[in-house]
């Protein structure tokens, strides 16, 4: 599926000159009372994405516009199923399949290419990605900012459906975020969580055959416990300065010392591009802990996009 969002400011109203999408991508824009602000919900039909789905979104934020990109519930990535779906046949029909490409056909992919004009801002505040057991997901997001543009980018992932006893049981999660300002790359964040190389049966058989060998490799669950949600927040530009100042003050009050048990919630702050931008990383035992923390520390956006508009995020 493909989508295109183009918005411009006319008088004090943000107007979409283009707002189009094709299956399985769905774009909805509600009416907004706040001047200079628009909201678009990025969703998918059926409540989630299946193996082989490929969504490509192009976003162009016009001068002096403020655009919020939200979602309605987490982005669910369903398990990779054996078989040859129509979408993957179409995408690979022009080339001969190879053993490696056969496994890649069922990967769910999302890409976003964003351009942000001078004095404008993008606030990308979706719900987290939730990969079901055996799912494989790739996401690539690229942002091109003018010198006076701003961005708030939230990218986060959960361990899966804990109610179904899923805990980091997906095959692979790969997310790339790149931010360019006036053509210069100022930030590149990559997260790879890979379970695909782990084979429980093979590892067990190897240990039985040779008890002197090392224990089998640890799964994602072993490595990421006890946390069920990891998040990255990037802030850049003049419209984020107030929030960054508050976060820096909050961070300076943290005391670091050895603990007998892990904290329920952890976060860190890193300046980028000589302090012009800030990256926040967070992890929580429960997704709600992470969501509530972000909701509180980003509350300063109420003064930027409006109280009612901000409340539509982190529901």
């Amino acid at each position: 599926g493909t989508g295109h969002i183009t918005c411009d400011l006319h008088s004090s109203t943000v107007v979409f000159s283009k707002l189009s999408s094709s299956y399985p991508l769905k774009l909805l824009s509600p009416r907004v009372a706040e001047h200079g602000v628009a909201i678009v919900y990025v969703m998918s039909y059926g409540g989630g994405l299946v193996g082989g789905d490929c969504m490509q979104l192009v976003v162009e934020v016009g001068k002096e516009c403020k655009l919020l990109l939200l979602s309605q519930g987490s982005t669910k990535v369903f398990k990779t199923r054996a078989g040859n779906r129509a979408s993957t046949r179409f995408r690979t029909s022009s080339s001969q399949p190879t053993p490696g490409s056969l496994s890649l056909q069922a990967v769910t992919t999302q890409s976003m290419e964003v351009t942000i004009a001078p004095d404008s801002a993008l606030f990308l505040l979706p719900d987290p990605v939730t990969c079901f057991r055996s799912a494989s997901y790739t996401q690539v997001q690229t942002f091109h900012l003018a010198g006076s543009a701003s961005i708030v980018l939230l990218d986060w992932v959960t361990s899966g459906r804990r109610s179904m006893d899923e805990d980091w049981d997906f095959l692979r999660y790969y997310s790339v975020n790149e931010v360019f300002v006036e053509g210069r790359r100022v930030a590149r964040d990559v997260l790879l969580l890979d379970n695909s190389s782990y084979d429980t049966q093979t590892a067990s058989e190897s240990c039985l055959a040779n008890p002197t060998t090392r224990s089998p490799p640890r799964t994602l669950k072993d490595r990421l416990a006890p946390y069920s949600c990891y998040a990255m927040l990037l802030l850049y530009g003049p419209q984020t300065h107030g929030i960054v100042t508050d976060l820096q003050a909050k961070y300076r009050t943290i005391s670091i010392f050895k603990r007998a048990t892990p904290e329920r919630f952890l976060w860190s702050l890193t300046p980028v591009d000589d302090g012009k931008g800030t990256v926040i990383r967070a992890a929580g035992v429960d997704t709600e802990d992470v969501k509530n923390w972000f909701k509180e520390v980003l509350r300063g956006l109420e003064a930027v996009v409006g109280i009612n508009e901000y409340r539509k995020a982190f529901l």
Side-chain angles (χ1 to χ4, degrees):
T2 59
H4 201 136
I5 302 171
T6 302
C7 63
D8 295 285
L9 190 66
H10 291 268
S11 184
S12 59
T13 303
V14 176
V15 177
F16 292 97
S17 57
K18 184 174 289 188
L19 186 64
S20 62
S21 60
S22 62
Y23 184 89
L25 180 62
K26 185 178 183 181
L27 303 174
L28 294 177
S29 179
R31 292 182 179 274
V32 175
E34 190 74 16
H35 294 326
V37 178
I39 296 176
V40 174
Y41 287 96
V42 181
M43 302 176 291
S44 61
Y45 288 90
L49 302 171
V50 299
D53 278 348
C54 178
M55 301 209 306
Q56 299 173 310
L57 179 61
V58 175
V59 181
E60 298 171 301
V61 185
K63 187 176 181 180
E64 298 182 357
C65 294
K66 299 173 185 176
L67 177 63
L68 281 85
L69 293 183
L70 308 176
S71 61
Q72 290 186 327
S74 64
T75 299
K76 300 174 181 63
V77 183
F78 298 116
K79 66 183 294 184
T80 298
R81 298 182 184 274
N84 194 9
R85 297 180 62 244
S87 61
T88 60
R89 289 201 304 270
F90 177 78
R91 285 160 54 194
T92 59
S93 59
S94 60
S95 60
Q96 285 291 102
T98 64
S101 66
L102 290 176
S103 62
L104 292 175
Q105 289 183 21
V107 174
T108 301
T109 61
Q110 283 199 115
S111 66
M112 184 184 299
E113 189 83 17
V114 181
T115 303
I116 309 175
D119 303 318
S120 61
L122 174 73
F123 306 94
L124 180 56
L125 301 173
D127 291 289
V129 174
T130 298
C131 294
F132 291 12
R133 180 179 284 113
S134 300
S136 185
Y137 177 76
T138 294
Q139 170 184 276
V140 178
Q141 301 183 137
T142 307
F143 306 87
H144 300 273
L145 280 67
S148 58
S150 302
I151 186 171
V152 176
L153 160 63
L154 176 60
D155 185 20
W156 48 335
V157 60
T158 74
S159 61
R161 299 174 297 177
R162 303 187 74 182
S163 61
M164 303 289 289
D165 293 325
E166 294 180 1
D167 198 7
W168 305 111
D169 290 332
F170 49 82
L171 287 178
R172 189 173 186 269
Y173 173 90
Y174 180 62
S175 177
V176 180
N177 292 284
E178 288 190 289
V179 178
F180 295 82
V181 177
E182 297 291 351
R184 179 176 57 90
R185 186 168 68 185
V186 300
R188 185 174 191 265
D189 181 82
V190 180
L191 176 62
L192 172 62
L193 304 174
D194 194 349
N195 245 342
S196 59
S197 61
Y198 181 81
D199 187 331
T200 304
Q201 183 177 356
T202 301
S204 299
E205 290 174 352
S206 176
C207 289
L208 289 173
N210 188 358
T212 62
T213 59
R214 296 180 179 179
S215 58
R218 296 191 303 162
T219 64
L220 278 179
K221 179 179 178 180
D222 297 330
R223 286 176 280 165
L224 299 177
Y227 302 111
S228 66
C229 180
Y230 285 81
M232 186 279 297
L233 175 72
L234 185 143
L235 304 102
Y236 196 102
Q239 300 191 49
T240 68
H241 286 170
I243 295 172
V244 170
T245 299
D246 292 341
L247 281 167
Q248 290 172 337
K250 188 180 183 72
Y251 192 64
R252 285 193 291 268
T253 65
I254 295 178
S255 299
I256 301 176
F257 54 90
K258 189 174 182 179
R259 296 179 181 271
T261 57
E263 288 283 314
R264 285 190 56 85
F265 177 82
L266 296 174
W267 71 286
S268 67
L269 183 150
T270 305
V272 295
D273 194 26
D274 296 326
K276 297 176 184 177
T278 301
V279 171
I280 304 293
R281 301 187 189 279
V285 172
D286 292 321
T287 302
E288 285 296 311
D289 294 338
V290 181
K291 183 180 77 171
N292 291 335
W293 187 85
F294 278 122
K295 183 178 181 179
E296 182 60 33
V297 299
L298 292 176
R299 196 173 295 279
L301 290 179
E302 291 180 346
V304 180
V305 300
I307 295 175
N308 292 330
E309 287 66 30
Y310 178 72
R311 286 177 179 174
K312 291 180 171 62
F314 305 111
L315 292 177

